[in-house]
């Protein structure tokens, strides 16, 4: 029986990954500052601990075969783009990753998955709503639009240097806006799909959408994210891959899709905010198809219908 460590097992993606690994017969050790918010963890062991503490990391890494590193200080636009949390985002996430590679080296654990983000791509390629989809080779020269993106870029290079110098078996996926049931939907750290669902559900006839609503994104449903992680880990691909949908949509059209699902009479009101993130972002899936013989195919509407229903059940 393989033993896996899932860092960030109390979070949205991490808790879903624990379930998948258990179904595949793994012994799973989870670690996080908190337990999953919406369901009991299925991990065989769950360590409630701070991965910024190297002694905690040593306990977690000892005896496992694979590490899945999803732990980070992060959140939605209200958390990442205000600038108020930049030092925490940089320090906390970097400290976690430095501790993990240090501990893996000393315990002789070689195989690791690192969850990077599309936020690491240069802002220069994302200034218009109809920008070309982001290819993996567009990553350099680096110029992310947030400190969160800079930390992701640094940590990608951290793991790749340990692959080069210490024979780590590294897999890296650049996530593009993962969403689905059991994700945070209120409190300031929620992402756009959950935030828009909550706004529509609670609306009395109007919802506020940041910016002019013409900014574009793609969104990936959680099940396909987990499938991609597992396929990548079982592959021999050692270069970072996009893990996202290539179905691009404007934020206003996305909000209208959710309104249509709700069957409510709701008007969109666009509002100015100081920081919106990039103007356009989409995933180019050419390389993942080449390397894994697979890419996400589920239509956005299918996933958002499931997510809307789940959030509505939480709020009633």
């Amino acid at each position: 029986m393989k033993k896996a460590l899932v860092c960030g097992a109390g979070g949205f993606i991490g808790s879903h990954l624990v379930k998948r690994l258990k179904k595949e017969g793994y012994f799973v050790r989870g670690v996080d500052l908190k337990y999953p918010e919406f369901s009991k963890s299925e991990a065989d062991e769950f360590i409630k601990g701070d991965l910024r503490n190297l002694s905690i990391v040593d306990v977690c890494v000892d005896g496992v075969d694979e590490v899945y590193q999803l732990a980070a200080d992060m959140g939605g636009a209200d958390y990442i783009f205000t600038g108020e949390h930049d030092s925490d985002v940089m320090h906390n996430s970097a400290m976690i990753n430095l501790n993990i590679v240090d501990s893996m080296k000393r315990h002789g654990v070689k195989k690791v998955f690192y969850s990077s983000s599309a936020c690491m791509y240069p802002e220069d390629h994302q200034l218009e709503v109809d920008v070309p989809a982001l290819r993996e080779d567009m990553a350099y020269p680096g110029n992310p639009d947030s400190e969160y993106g800079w930390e992701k870029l640094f940590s990608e290079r951290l793991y790749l240097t340990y692959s080069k110098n210490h024979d780590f078996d590294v897999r890296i996926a650049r996530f593009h806006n993962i969403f689905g049931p059991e994700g945070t939907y209120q409190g300031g750290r929620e992402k756009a799909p959950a935030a828009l669902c909550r706004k529509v559900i609670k609306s009395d006839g109007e919802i506020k959408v940041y910016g002019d609503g013409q900014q574009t994104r793609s969104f990936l449903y959680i099940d396909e994210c987990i499938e991609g992680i597992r396929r990548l880990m079982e592959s021999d691909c050692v270069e970072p891959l996009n893990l996202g949908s290539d179905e691009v949509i404007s934020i206003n059209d996305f909000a209208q899709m959710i309104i249509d699902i709700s069957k409510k009479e709701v008007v969109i009101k666009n509002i100015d905010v100081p920081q919106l993130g990039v103007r356009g972002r989409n995933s180019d899936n050419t390389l993942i198809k080449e390397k894994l013989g697979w890419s996400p195919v589920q239509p956005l509407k299918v996933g958002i219908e499931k997510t809307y229903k789940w959030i509505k059940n939480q709020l009633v």
Side-chain angles (χ1 to χ4, degrees), residues 35 38 43 151 173 204 237 266 312:
Y35 296 109
F38 303 108
E151 189 280 323
D204 57 2
C237 179
V266 178
K312 185 177 180 181

Side-chain angles (χ1 to χ4, degrees), residues 267-293:
V267 175
I268 297 169
K269 181 181 180 182
N270 293 106
I271 61 170
D272 289 329
V273 293
Q275 178 59 266
L276 285 169
V278 296
R279 189 70 174 148
R281 175 178 290 156
N282 190 20
S283 177
D284 186 305
N285 287 347
T286 304
L287 191 60
I288 193 172
K289 289 175 185 175
E290 176 188 324
K291 296 295 184 178
L292 304 187

